[in-house]
Amino acid sequence: MHDTAAVEYPSFPYPVTNYQEDNRGQFHFSSRGGWMNDVNAPLYYRGVYHLYYQHAPNSLVWDTMHWGHATSTDLVHWQQKPIALDPGIHPGDLWSGGGVVDTGNVTGLKNGDDDPIVVFSGTNGVQVFYSLDGGNTFKTFADGKKVVKPNARTSRDPKVFWDPIAKHWGMVVWSDEGGNGADFYTSENLLDWTFGSRYQADWLFECPDMVRMPFEGGYKWVLSDGSGEYVVGDFDGTTFHPLNRMQQKINQTDTHAGGGYYAALTFANLPVKDRVVSMAWQGENQGTIWTGNATFPVDQRLKRTPDGPRVVSTPIPEIASARTSTRTWKDRTLDARSAKQLLAGVEADTYELEATVDVRDAERFGFRLHTSPDGWFDRDVVYDAKAQTLDGTALKPDHGKVKLRLLVDRGQLEVFGNDGDVYQSHNVNFDSLPGGNGLEFFVDGKVHVESLTLHELGSIWKTSGQSTLSTDIAGQWYPASGNWTDVAGGKQGQAGGDAFYLSKASGSDFTLEGDVKLVSGTAAALTFRANKDASRHYTANIDADAGVVKLWRPGRDIATHPLAIERGRIYHFKLTAASTAIEVWVDGTLMIDATDTEQSAGQFGLNVFRGTGIFQHLHLTPGS
């Protein structure tokens, strides 16, 4: 037995991150930067949940794979950690895989107080990596020698599990030997593996999971693939025996790689006996420095149905730790008109919605999410009482009632029906800009609302990262256009044309101060009295090409003052606005004193034009 010598890991590659980008999930995990895809080796060890994942840290698209790493003490609030597996240190294709905690030291690798955490990766054969510091850094076992030799043209995605009846470890690996299917292996020590059997199924494509679940006083095994298709059966220690070869789906959406649900895995070594927790990859969401996120964790269990045992999924109860406020409506009989009035005036950005509705007199009902005063909404969720479907998925009422539970985040929507009989995960770019946070209940026919509860959910990132922009301007910031990132000197904007970074806070009369540096290109500026997409605004800039300080708005240059602008130098701006009067001061000198009647109030922000600018130390004083 030989392992590579410990190698010093590269420095932590992530800059300080602004988690308030418009479509960045506020309670769904996403990597601080770079590309994220499949969930890898989720596990629990000594009070900490570890989430590893497929990761390209310096790319917004799939690239050379690393294993990213994040930890949590409650499965809700996550903290980014340095990369766990790095291709500059660890050999082989670091593609998807699973992991376990070797609590009995069957590997013999233990050297200190921590139990070895052993993870499995590699394509066309399986490699082993192990951690002796609680899952933070990993060594390569046997110089990367493959502990499972390839027996097919293509194989990948090993998942390891404990079989308490056979009292040995099992491994399931996807391969294309004779078509799609899963190969099963067994081991006493996690390092030496013996082929056991093969389960052939055309539907079973990559990222398999194998998990044991309680069922009616006993246990069954669930074998699933990357798209969440699964069969339930028995496992005799080497061979899987399905109860029915017709597969079901864990998540009732169009699941595929890069879609709203893919490559889910269940956590290993959980502290609660028989608890099954799963997370998946959502791939249709991205921001300026990141791509992809994870689904919110769900508890899974087996339920008896006329078609046999089925997997049902519900949000983990730990979600309560993210709730910031709760409002409840009870015992309401509603028609179309009164339903529309029920939530009038309610606004929420990120939230959990629970409803129990009697549908015996209804044709359909549902919720319109992120509505605006002009009637626009970003997404609706509809229960069709006649067809007995929830967003197209079959869902029969239970004694005439339907339960809905929605998780609404910045770029994610998860829908649950009747305590998990329906589970749907979507990436939705919800418009969390000002004026678009309404919520509407709608009814065709008549319903009786037994209860309706709205829990607003706060950001899980409050202690995990913040923008490098120092400002006392209240309200969340978002990029209205252009590329905005956090750098050591402050907030950096880059664009080939105009780009705006705006706060949701607004004002009418005020004094606004801030430091502006034009790094390269034409102009950098402070913006004020803007609307939410900056199609209307006032902007005061330094323009290096024209050699001026300029106050402008769309359609009009209001005033200019000559000034030789040095790129790379910091200029201190002070802007005062009182009714129609606007003053622009630069480095303590009054440059512009003008009047304009176009915009009386609006949001604050930053602007770059055909170049790169860095902004810092924004200070706002209300009033003149």
Side-chain angles (χ1 to χ4, degrees):
M1 183 182 303
H2 176 70
D3 59 77
T4 58
V7 179
E8 185 176 348
Y9 273 42
S11 61
F12 196 28
Y14 307 101
V16 175
T17 304
N18 176 17
Y19 284 102
Q20 296 304 318
E21 286 187 82
D22 185 49
N23 58 341
R24 169 89 77 159
Q26 295 302 287
F27 59 92
H28 286 78
F29 174 78
S30 57
S31 191
R32 283 178 60 174
W35 165 274
M36 171 185 181
N37 59 289
D38 302 357
V39 170
N40 293 161
L43 55 87
Y44 174 88
Y45 180 64
R46 293 187 178 178
V48 177
Y49 298 92
H50 293 262
L51 172 65
Y52 303 97
Y53 55 93
Q54 291 286 275
H55 186 35
N58 300 307
S59 175
L60 294 180
V61 297
W62 192 94
D63 208 326
T64 303
M65 283 294 101
H66 303 56
W67 277 33
H69 183 204
T71 60
S72 173
T73 57
D74 62 2
L75 283 169
V76 176
H77 299 83
W78 295 93
Q79 184 176 3
Q80 188 88 47
K81 296 293 184 180
I83 288 168
L85 296 181
D86 188 308
I89 298 169
H90 305 94
D93 294 326
L94 302 177
W95 287 18
S96 299
V100 296
V101 182
D102 178 16
T103 57
N105 193 31
V106 298
T107 59
L109 295 171
K110 187 171 183 176
N111 183 18
D113 294 332
D114 278 303
D115 296 323
I117 291 178
V118 188
V119 301
F120 302 80
S121 182
T123 61
N124 304 324
V126 178
Q127 294 171 285
V128 173
F129 307 94
Y130 64 97
S131 171
L132 300 179
D133 62 0
N136 292 311
T137 62
F138 286 83
K139 297 180 180 181
T140 303
F141 174 72
D143 287 334
K145 174 185 176 182
K146 293 185 176 180
V147 300
V148 173
K149 299 294 194 298
N151 67 341
R153 181 168 57 87
T154 307
S155 65
R156 57 179 176 268
D157 310 332
K159 171 69 188 299
V160 172
F161 55 91
W162 172 249
D163 184 342
I165 304 302
K167 298 189 183 304
H168 60 219
W169 296 96
M171 178 192 291
V172 59
V173 182
W174 174 81
S175 78
D176 63 357
E177 180 68 25
N180 285 332
D183 297 324
F184 287 94
Y185 299 83
T186 62
S187 176
E188 303 294 331
N189 63 4
L190 291 169
L191 302 176
D192 300 298
W193 293 88
T194 301
F195 178 76
S197 66
R198 175 166 174 78
Y199 179 77
Q200 193 87 21
D202 289 342
W203 59 266
L204 201 160
F205 179 63
E206 67 183 17
C207 301
D209 195 3
M210 180 76 164
V211 61
R212 186 172 183 256
M213 293 190 188
F215 183 67
E216 296 184 344
Y219 291 89
K220 295 296 180 185
W221 289 85
V222 177
L223 173 64
S224 60
D225 74 346
S227 64
E229 293 183 300
Y230 71 94
V231 287
V232 180
D234 298 305
F235 188 64
D236 64 10
T238 59
T239 304
F240 177 71
H241 304 278
L243 301 180
N244 188 329
R245 293 191 68 88
M246 181 59 67
Q247 75 274 20
Q248 305 288 341
K249 290 193 74 174
I250 291 174
N251 193 281
Q252 292 84 46
T253 58
D254 180 18
T255 53
H256 59 274
Y261 181 95
Y262 198 73
L265 284 185
T266 51
F267 278 75
N269 199 48
L270 289 179
V272 177
K273 185 176 185 296
D274 292 337
R275 188 182 188 189
V276 178
V277 176
S278 176
M279 294 177 73
W281 163 45
Q282 290 188 290
E284 296 173 319
N285 196 25
Q286 74 174 54
T288 58
I289 61 170
W290 58 278
T291 301
N293 62 265
T295 60
F296 191 79
V298 293
D299 278 322
Q300 293 183 332
R301 58 186 175 86
L302 284 174
K303 176 182 177 179
R304 168 66 68 186
T305 75
D307 299 321
R310 289 280 309 275
V311 175
V312 297
S313 306
T314 53
I316 58 170
E318 289 90 337
I319 194 174
S321 67
R323 294 170 183 163
T324 59
S325 67
T326 297
R327 284 171 280 183
T328 300
W329 298 260
K330 290 187 175 182
D331 196 23
R332 306 287 182 94
T333 299
L334 304 171
D335 58 13
R337 181 177 180 181
S338 55
K340 185 177 179 66
Q341 293 301 313
L342 182 67
L343 301 177
V346 172
E347 292 192 353
D349 182 13
T350 56
Y351 54 92
E352 174 190 6
L353 190 65
E354 299 178 277
T356 301
V357 181
D358 190 314
V359 299
R360 279 174 280 201
D361 295 322
E363 294 184 13
R364 66 176 197 148
F365 80 92
F367 295 92
R368 296 186 176 108
L369 310 175
H370 281 266
T371 63
S372 58
D374 60 5
W376 173 263
F377 59 91
D378 286 333
R379 181 67 150 76
D380 60 3
V381 175
V382 181
Y383 182 75
D384 187 323
K386 298 298 184 183
Q388 296 187 342
T389 59
L390 175 59
D391 277 1
T393 298
L395 182 68
K396 293 182 178 181
D398 184 2
H399 296 91
K401 299 176 184 178
V402 170
K403 290 184 179 180
L404 295 188
R405 192 171 180 186
L406 313 182
L407 303 184
V408 182
D409 207 343
R410 294 276 178 80
Q412 303 80 20
L413 169 66
E414 292 180 277
V415 178
F416 303 84
N418 285 358
D419 297 319
D421 286 348
V422 169
Y423 170 35
Q424 301 172 338
S425 298
H426 309 275
N427 277 131
V428 179
N429 186 16
F430 285 112
D431 178 5
S432 60
L433 305 181
N437 287 347
L439 176 63
E440 182 183 326
F441 184 60
F442 66 89
V443 172
D444 290 343
K446 184 182 294 184
V447 298
H448 182 78
V449 177
E450 185 175 291
S451 65
L452 171 61
T453 301
L454 174 68
H455 305 286
E456 292 197 62
L457 301 178
S459 175
I460 66 173
W461 307 120
K462 290 180 180 176
T463 60
S464 303
Q466 60 184 13
S467 173
T468 52
L469 176 65
S470 174
T471 177
D472 60 2
I473 298 176
Q476 297 174 349
W477 290 76
Y478 61 91
S481 53
N483 184 25
W484 295 88
T485 56
D486 289 294
V487 297
K491 178 61 66 174
Q492 176 177 279
Q494 294 177 303
D498 267 313
F500 292 89
Y501 187 69
L502 301 177
S503 168
K504 292 185 179 180
S506 62
S508 177
D509 294 351
F510 53 83
T511 298
L512 174 64
E513 297 188 64
D515 292 334
V516 177
K517 179 167 68 173
L518 178 63
V519 178
S520 62
T522 300
L526 299 185
T527 292
F528 56 100
R529 292 182 177 175
N531 64 347
K532 68 180 183 180
D533 63 358
S535 58
R536 297 190 303 273
H537 59 85
Y538 290 118
T539 293
N541 71 20
I542 46 174
D543 186 324
D545 288 349
V548 297
V549 175
K550 180 167 67 175
L551 175 67
W552 66 282
R553 59 173 169 82
R556 183 189 176 198
D557 289 347
I558 299 168
T560 62
H561 187 283
L563 183 67
I565 305 300
E566 299 177 30
R567 295 178 177 87
R569 174 187 161 184
I570 295 173
Y571 292 86
H572 183 77
F573 273 69
K574 183 175 79 170
L575 313 177
T576 64
S579 186
T580 61
I582 301 171
E583 294 180 349
V584 180
W585 300 68
V586 177
D587 291 340
T589 300
L590 178 62
M591 299 282 180
I592 293 173
D593 184 355
T595 60
D596 193 87
T597 61
E598 183 75 12
Q599 294 284 104
S600 61
Q603 296 168 231
F604 301 99
L606 314 174
N607 165 259
V608 292
F609 177 66
R610 291 182 182 171
T612 300
I614 296 177
F615 306 84
Q616 190 59 289
H617 305 305
L618 299 184
H619 175 65
L620 178 67
T621 303
S624 59

